Amino acid sequence: MLRLALITSLLATSAFAASADEWRNRSIYQLITDRFATPDGSSPSCDTSQRKYCGGTWKGIVNKLDYIQNMGFDAVWISPIVANVEGSTAYGEAFHGYWTQDINSLNSHFGSADDLKALSAALHKRNMYLMVDVVVNHMVGTADPPNFSAFKPFSAQSDFHSECFVSNYDNQTEVEQCWLGDKNVPLVDLNTEDSNVVSTMNTWISKLVSDYSVDGVRIDTVKHVRKDFWPDFAKSAGVFTIGEVLNNETSYVKDYTQVLDSVLDYPTWFPLVAAFQTTNGNLSALAATVQQGQSSYKNGQFMTGSFLENHDQPRFQSLTQDNALIKNAMTFTFVGDGVPVLYYGQEQSYAGGPDPANREALWLSGYVQDKPLVKHVKALNAARKTAIAANSNFATTATKFLSTGSQSSMAISKAPLLTLLTNGGSSSSPSWTVPDAGYQANEELVDILTCSKVTADSKGGVTVQGSGGNPQVLLPTSALSKVGSSCSDLGSTSQPSSARGWMDDAANSLPVVAALVLAGWAAQSSLVL
């Protein structure tokens, strides 16, 4: 009964037309449709440098939902679905979906309308959400001047801003009204000041969400459209909206949190990468940026998209191959106020550099689940779900950064979670002293990444000696009892101890409790109609 109660609390949410608040507890798996899974399970070669379609489809995604759900994700963000430029261009084919030519037709390379509806239905049957990527800012040509008659429904030159390519990103008028791309593949900027264009786009997004039972919309190139366009567009969508605003300053990005439900947290991404890319990273700068977002975004950091990788940036594992640094950086995105977003392939240790190298075919990995980072992701999702179950206010409790006494370590408190991070690297033996951890005197804790036990001191503080530069994610064992037992009771090989004496190889094992949380979560999903 306790386990059923936990599962119910984790999954109690509407399956359709999800509001921003209903996305708070979600965890998102981002994928490029063409590169995730083929419809027949085949594994064709896929040379990213050729920038061509490789054969992934919406049917393929349906067939691999077990893989996604078994890692603990309950939302899937797919690449844009509408008809794109056909054939080859100076920069390859439109396999990624971002080169729109007809907003009212689907990209046939990915499947039919029925296939997309089937994907939505399959997700909802599992109590998972569907997020669709959309592009509003532009249509895409294959020459300069572009063939305006190829664009649908905007086929007149007057539907677009006059040609000028963005060159000065400090000039907001230029950012909003000039074109992205270049003369080879111009991204022709829609005149979003025109009332007909505005009305058409609002009607379109409403119909798209309705036709395919979409639960959330990720919006591309948001900063390139005037801010006062977005509120009506978001209202027309009627579901959670999260925007891409590519900028490293919270002072710039914050205004967009006033017009959309949320933003992808690019200002935090920049110092996150810098903090864990090397052993000399600045953890204080990372904490300071999060705090800036907490104080300046409309809803603080809540519901922002927390990510380490995406399709536009080099994969983190192309920047460092230190497994401890990688695990610490990945952990950060799961334990804060935002909604975790994992870019497909990160769990398989993909290490592609800048576009197009970071858009690999996942089927070439074999979807192997017995891998260190797959296990790490499972444990992180399990930790977050357990914390949500243990604290009904978890999703609205603001993250705090606590002193650890070391510049190479970080303590993140979000009750009941206490996350201990370090950028010391794999050869380090990190230690954390957190006197104000906030636990009960002598309370028994467990690192959900390893099932090793820690005991708080007489004042509720924590002192931990780690190994191998690995992160720790601590929870009271009383929180784990909600799934029926503690880690040690479930047969973990870790030893009860004080906050010292970690096993060297423990960080490479998935705690049994994490597996139990996720197995129960997956079992419950089959009951959702």
Side-chain angles (χ1 to χ4, degrees):
M1 291 302 293
L2 284 172
R3 187 167 72 178
L4 180 60
L6 168 65
I7 294 168
T8 303
S9 69
L10 293 177
L11 300 175
T13 182
S14 170
F16 300 98
S19 66
D21 195 60
E22 290 172 310
W23 278 84
R24 285 181 186 269
N25 294 343
R26 295 278 156 166
S27 183
I28 303 170
Y29 188 80
Q30 180 199 355
L31 59 85
I32 293 178
T33 298
D34 180 66
R35 302 296 168 85
F36 180 71
T38 58
D40 60 359
S42 62
S43 298
S45 62
C46 182
D47 184 346
T48 57
S49 67
Q50 294 184 3
R51 306 183 189 221
K52 292 183 177 181
Y53 282 96
C54 286
T57 67
W58 297 318
K59 280 186 177 179
I61 299 172
V62 171
N63 294 338
K64 291 297 181 182
L65 286 181
D66 281 350
Y67 172 79
I68 298 174
Q69 191 176 32
N70 286 345
M71 286 187 286
F73 293 100
D74 45 21
V76 177
W77 157 12
I78 64 173
S79 47
I81 64 175
V82 301
N84 271 222
V85 169
E86 285 293 340
S88 188
T89 72
Y91 305 119
E93 299 174 349
F95 69 90
H96 43 71
Y98 291 94
W99 289 349
T100 305
Q101 281 208 328
D102 181 358
I103 65 172
N104 292 320
S105 298
L106 294 178
N107 190 325
S108 60
H109 293 272
F110 304 150
S112 66
D114 286 343
D115 292 338
L116 184 53
K117 290 175 182 178
L119 170 58
S120 179
L123 286 164
H124 292 152
K125 185 176 181 179
R126 296 167 179 259
N127 195 34
M128 299 171 74
Y129 283 170
L130 172 63
M131 175 176 284
V132 170
D133 210 325
V134 299
V135 181
V136 172
N137 178 65
H138 51 263
M139 311 287 274
V140 177
T142 57
D144 187 39
N147 176 13
F148 289 96
S149 65
F151 301 149
K152 298 177 181 178
F154 309 110
S155 56
Q157 188 170 350
S158 60
D159 291 329
F160 300 86
H161 290 133
S162 299
E163 179 173 338
C164 59
F165 288 95
V166 179
S167 61
N168 180 8
Y169 280 85
D170 292 327
N171 183 329
Q172 188 62 26
T173 299
E174 184 176 321
V175 168
E176 293 177 3
Q177 299 195 7
C178 290
W179 300 7
L180 296 169
D182 58 25
K183 289 182 177 295
N184 292 315
V185 181
L187 279 54
V188 189
D189 207 73
L190 268 173
N191 181 6
T192 45
E193 288 76 32
D194 181 87
S195 60
N196 179 62
V197 170
V198 171
S199 176
T200 299
M201 293 306 292
N202 290 346
T203 299
W204 166 73
I205 193 60
S206 177
K207 187 173 188 300
L208 182 150
V209 167
S210 175
D211 286 351
Y212 303 108
S213 301
V214 173
D215 304 293
V217 175
R218 182 267 187 185
I219 308 171
D220 191 60
T221 52
V222 164
K223 72 178 184 181
H224 294 280
V225 177
R226 61 185 174 90
K227 296 180 184 69
D228 56 357
F229 168 89
W230 294 117
D232 284 345
F233 183 84
K235 182 178 180 181
S236 298
V239 293
F240 177 61
T241 54
I242 185 168
E244 177 215 23
V245 184
L246 179 47
N247 192 282
N248 66 336
E249 298 290 342
T250 55
S251 58
Y252 181 91
V253 174
K254 67 179 178 63
D255 291 343
Y256 294 93
T257 68
Q258 299 291 330
V259 296
L260 293 170
D261 290 323
S262 181
V263 293
L264 291 161
D265 194 12
Y266 257 113
T268 297
W269 174 80
F270 284 95
L272 172 61
V273 170
F276 292 104
Q277 182 178 342
T278 72
T279 56
N280 298 316
N282 189 336
L283 298 178
S284 296
L286 173 59
T289 302
V290 171
Q291 291 165 340
Q292 290 168 12
Q294 288 177 325
S295 63
S296 62
Y297 294 165
K298 180 181 178 181
N299 297 308
Q301 285 279 338
F302 299 119
M303 296 175 292
T304 57
S306 182
F307 67 98
L308 179 61
E309 294 183 358
N310 65 29
H311 59 292
D312 288 325
Q313 307 299 335
R315 289 189 182 272
F316 187 71
Q317 293 172 78
S318 72
L319 305 176
T320 180
Q321 287 75 51
D322 186 300
N323 288 329
L325 292 176
I326 293 164
K327 285 185 176 181
N328 276 273
M330 290 176 68
T331 299
F332 180 89
T333 63
F334 282 83
V335 298
D337 295 341
V339 178
V341 181
L342 186 100
Y343 182 50
Y344 85 104
Q346 186 175 358
E347 75 281 3
Q348 294 290 342
S349 298
Y350 277 14
D355 170 23
N358 60 352
R359 301 175 178 188
E360 308 97 321
L362 193 65
W363 52 78
L364 299 178
S365 73
Y367 308 96
V368 176
Q369 298 191 50
D370 186 21
K371 279 190 169 181
L373 293 185
V374 175
K375 295 177 181 180
H376 187 59
V377 170
K378 286 182 178 181
L380 291 172
N381 269 322
R384 189 167 182 268
K385 292 178 186 299
T386 303
I388 290 168
N391 178 8
S392 60
N393 296 318
F394 180 82
T396 55
T397 298
T399 293
K400 295 180 181 179
F401 295 92
L402 306 181
S403 174
T404 65
S406 170
Q407 291 185 343
S408 64
S409 65
M410 170 181 280
I412 304 172
S413 175
K414 188 175 174 71
L417 282 182
L418 178 66
T419 302
L420 306 176
L421 304 180
T422 176
N423 62 2
S426 296
S427 62
S428 68
S429 297
S431 62
W432 297 267
T433 299
V434 189
D436 54 346
Y439 291 115
Q440 298 297 314
N442 305 312
E443 187 169 10
E444 185 180 74
L445 313 173
V446 63
D447 172 24
I448 204 166
L449 302 182
T450 64
C451 278
S452 296
K453 289 185 178 180
V454 174
T455 301
D457 62 28
S458 61
K459 295 183 179 180
V462 170
T463 299
V464 173
Q465 178 64 56
S467 65
N470 286 301
Q472 322 292 339
V473 180
L474 304 182
L475 280 164
T477 54
S478 59
L480 298 183
S481 68
K482 292 179 180 294
V483 297
S485 187
S486 68
C487 281
S488 59
D489 291 335
L490 287 170
S492 168
T493 58
S494 60
Q495 299 296 317
S497 68
S498 68
R500 302 185 183 276
W502 300 87
M503 295 184 301
D504 289 343
D505 62 349
N508 293 321
S509 65
L510 173 67
V512 179
V513 67
L516 179 58
V517 172
L518 296 179
W521 172 78
Q524 167 68 9
S525 68
S526 66
L527 302 176
V528 179
L529 302 180

